[in-house]
Amino acid sequence: MTLIAWLIYIPLQFMWIAFSVIGVLWVAHKQIVRSKALGLSQTAVEIINGRWTGHVFGLRKDPASAKLAGKLPNNSLTGLRIALFPLWIAKQIAGAPILYPQLPEDEKSGIANMVFSRSRRFDGLLEEYVARSEQLVVLGAGLDTRAYGPLVTKNLKVFELDMPTPQRAKRKAVKRARLDAAHVHYVEADFADPNWINALSASPYDPQKKTVFLWEGVTLYLSEADVLKTLETIKGNAAAGSAVILDVYGNRMLDMARKGVFAKTLDATGEALNFGLDFSSDPESVLSAFVTSQGFDLGPYYFLGSSHKKGPYMVVATLEI
Ligand SMILES: C[S@@+](CC[C@H](N)C(=O)[O-])C[C@H]1O[C@@H](n2cnc3c(N)ncnc32)[C@H](O)[C@@H]1O
């Protein structure tokens, strides 16, 4: 069936190309121009659209993201559906996605499939660490929907931290999507403010309880000083046995994304890329040195894209307290 899917996909994509371009431009307009006008994050939309795609193409179940993605003022699911239509038809024929989206082995993971590869690793680590914790703190939560899914049990206290404007917009969208948010504590925080912890301390967060801090897709937008200070703050305000699950990006990926149109679009919403590590040689030692220099123990970690001659483009890692 895969061969038939390709035989149909190629001419269909060729005939559909004008519509695909319109779909992409429609999404881009909402994601970049509307985000800028509303003071929202375009990268958060990029990620939730990846999760929507993974859900619709059967790579990763995420009904909450699928609902939320359709309720955002700075997104167009119609545009996304139009852009991906030929690939969706091919998936229906083959029974699995062809070309895109894909979930390759970690070593072979490329940047086009980053959201799917990194989500798989975050999901696995979260399941393991949340099972032995009492609190989940989502740092730079953006449009993440883990607080509205199966991860959350009666005994888990959940906190979402983000800047005020994106967080208020998310809360409205969560309401429109009719997601149950009664158990979620929303805390406004900016990691560039060295006192951001005061807002979390003023909430029902309990520093004596074992906590998982999820910091996904955020460190690359912060300065090195803010990343280090935030880690120090977490360490000083979390119980022994807690963990930070985060991703750190390799300079090779950041350098690539700092060029051309991509850099200009990120500048439009003030999301220029910043902190990264040099994973071009001996990435394990680089990661280990970074983690231990901040006073954490390095737990499980997964490099993505290691088969590339310039080394992995990112790592999903656990920092244990
Ligand atoms: C790419 S999104 C990732 C969102 C989410 N973690 C996810 O994986 O879906 C980056 C998020 O980080 C937030 N962020 C960026 N800089 C921040 C800062 N200095 N303080 C707090 N949040 C920040 C943005 O508002 C945005 O929601």
Side-chain angles (χ1 to χ4, degrees), residues 40-48 51 118 122 138-146 161-164 166-167 170 188-193 196 214-222 226 247 270-271:
L40 300 178
S41 163
Q42 62 165 298
T43 60
V45 175
E46 184 74 34
I47 300 304
I48 197 169
R51 292 186 183 132
R118 90 177 189 196
F122 272 107
V138 188
L139 303 160
L143 300 168
D144 183 283
T145 53
R146 289 193 176 82
L161 273 61
D162 209 323
M163 313 257 255
Q167 186 169 84
K170 180 188 188 172
E188 295 180 358
D190 178 352
F191 304 124
D193 173 357
W196 66 264
L214 167 63
W215 210 11
E216 180 177 9
V218 185
T219 60
L220 69 169
Y221 304 107
L222 305 180
D226 290 343
D247 46 7
E271 293 175 280

Side-chain angles (χ1 to χ4, degrees), residues 4-279:
I4 296 173
W6 273 103
L7 289 174
I8 291 174
Y9 168 70
I10 293 170
L12 175 61
Q13 182 65 80
F14 191 70
M15 287 186 298
W16 192 261
I17 199 74
F19 293 105
S20 285
V21 170
I22 291 168
V24 168
L25 290 177
W26 193 350
V27 177
H29 173 79
K30 286 282 194 168
Q31 194 176 314
I32 302 163
V33 181
R34 289 300 293 151
S35 295
K36 182 176 178 181
L38 297 169
L40 300 178
S41 163
Q42 62 165 298
T43 60
V45 175
E46 184 74 34
I47 300 304
I48 197 169
N49 279 347
R51 292 186 183 132
W52 178 89
T53 304
H55 177 77
V56 168
F57 281 73
L59 285 191
R60 174 179 179 268
K61 269 197 178 338
D62 192 344
S65 287
K67 279 188 198 160
L68 188 61
K71 302 293 177 193
L72 303 171
N74 51 341
N75 196 19
S76 168
L77 281 189
T78 308
L80 197 55
R81 282 196 185 95
I82 292 172
L84 296 174
F85 178 68
L87 285 166
W88 183 81
I89 291 287
K91 189 252 164 191
Q92 302 309 310
I93 297 165
I98 64 163
L99 197 64
Y100 177 86
Q102 297 288 310
L103 193 47
E105 291 307 307
D106 286 352
E107 311 82 74
K108 292 193 182 136
S109 167
I111 291 163
N113 289 301
M114 179 191 78
V115 175
F116 318 115
S117 295
R118 90 177 189 196
S119 290
R120 169 171 57 188
R121 294 312 177 193
F122 272 107
D123 289 346
L125 290 171
L126 277 167
E127 206 181 319
E128 182 186 338
Y129 279 82
V130 160
R132 42 178 131 130
S133 303
E134 292 178 78
Q135 303 183 115
L136 170 66
V137 177
V138 188
L139 303 160
L143 300 168
D144 183 283
T145 53
R146 289 193 176 82
Y148 316 92
L151 194 68
V152 174
T153 60
K154 272 205 306 255
N155 306 324
L156 188 74
K157 264 202 245 171
V158 184
F159 303 83
E160 283 199 4
L161 273 61
D162 209 323
M163 313 257 255
T165 306
Q167 186 169 84
R168 286 172 202 164
K170 180 188 188 172
R171 294 181 71 169
K172 285 185 189 159
V174 162
K175 220 177 210 173
R176 282 196 293 271
R178 296 173 191 269
L179 297 173
D180 178 11
H183 58 289
V184 183
H185 301 278
Y186 293 97
V187 177
E188 295 180 358
D190 178 352
F191 304 124
D193 173 357
N195 298 316
W196 66 264
I197 193 71
N198 294 344
L200 185 60
S201 304
S203 78
Y205 170 77
D206 183 346
Q208 307 302 326
K209 289 189 173 153
K210 261 196 211 171
T211 303
V212 176
F213 295 85
L214 167 63
W215 210 11
E216 180 177 9
V218 185
T219 60
L220 69 169
Y221 304 107
L222 305 180
S223 69
E224 181 175 10
D226 290 343
V227 170
L228 301 187
K229 182 78 189 146
T230 301
L231 286 173
E232 184 189 322
T233 303
I234 293 170
K235 195 161 185 294
N237 290 275
S242 298
V244 183
I245 305 175
L246 86 177
D247 46 7
V248 179
Y249 290 77
N251 289 338
R252 95 162 153 95
M253 185 194 124
L254 300 180
D255 289 344
M256 218 157 59
R258 281 185 189 117
K259 286 179 196 145
V261 178
F262 199 63
K264 281 202 183 119
T265 58
L266 288 175
D267 277 346
T269 47
E271 293 175 280
L273 300 177
N274 209 325
F275 175 71
L277 293 175
D278 181 2
F279 291 144

